[in-house]
Amino acid sequence: MRFMVILKATKASEAGEMPSEALMTAMIRFNEELVNAGVLLAADGLRPSSDGARIRFNGDRRDVTDGPFAETRELVAGYWLIQVRSLDEAIEWMKRAPNPMEGDTSEIEIRRMFEMDDFGEESLTPEARATVERMHAEVASKS
């Protein structure tokens, strides 16, 4: 099962405050444990929302809003993409992570990702399924 682990933003992360060397070292060590266990698929931090934009879709209309965005608790500061056997295992791994927001309260959210088998034939034709599988293989070969 694949899970996206979402690190929620804080005022400090939205202000662009960089982590200390000690936190970076601890985080690298933790990520290395995930790699060595064959669990980590991807992980990155995100720049503040002031460097980003949002696109709102309404029918055929597209409205772009430049950052920053006001509701810090709704923003994402980083993520891990992991593959484990269960939500319980994902929780156990992430409880071992260093506090990503040094000296502050931080929160992560763990969400299971959809897999191809989650979609029935009414949602995904065999042709569409083959196309998605081919695209996934192509992306994997480039990373």
Side-chain angles (χ1 to χ4, degrees):
M1 294 177 201
R2 293 179 305 148
F3 291 87
M4 176 163 276
V5 180
I6 303 162
L7 172 58
K8 300 295 182 116
T10 63
K11 287 183 173 140
S13 67
E14 275 297 289
E17 292 180 21
M18 299 305 285
S20 70
E21 180 183 345
L23 177 55
M24 286 301 294
T25 299
M27 195 59 72
I28 290 167
R29 206 171 306 138
F30 173 68
N31 287 344
E32 188 173 35
E33 285 181 51
L34 294 171
V35 168
N36 291 339
V39 170
L40 187 65
L41 301 175
D44 278 302
L46 301 175
R47 296 182 64 91
S49 68
S50 58
D51 289 347
R54 286 185 177 163
I55 302 173
R56 181 178 303 265
F57 291 76
N58 186 358
D60 291 337
R61 186 174 163 173
R62 308 295 186 262
D63 295 314
V64 177
T65 304
D66 292 329
F69 307 115
E71 291 296 325
T72 301
R73 72 179 195 274
E74 296 177 6
L75 299 175
V76 177
Y79 71 94
W80 289 268
L81 183 58
I82 61 174
Q83 186 162 5
V84 293
R85 290 181 295 276
S86 66
L87 176 59
D88 287 340
E89 185 179 355
I91 291 168
E92 287 307 311
W93 270 110
M94 299 319 297
K95 284 169 53 177
R96 295 170 52 185
N99 181 350
M101 299 299 178
E102 201 167 31
D104 201 354
T105 299
S106 61
E107 182 177 347
I108 63 171
E109 181 177 330
I110 302 171
R111 304 267 306 269
R112 185 169 172 202
M113 298 178 69
F114 280 110
E115 303 294 345
M116 293 293 291
D117 291 341
D118 294 326
F119 298 99
E121 289 183 20
E122 64 279 355
S123 296
L124 203 56
T125 66
E127 296 81 16
R129 183 179 304 272
T131 300
V132 171
E133 288 171 353
R134 179 186 49 76
M135 289 187 302
H136 283 179
E138 188 173 328
V139 167
S141 73
K142 293 180 180 182
S143 54

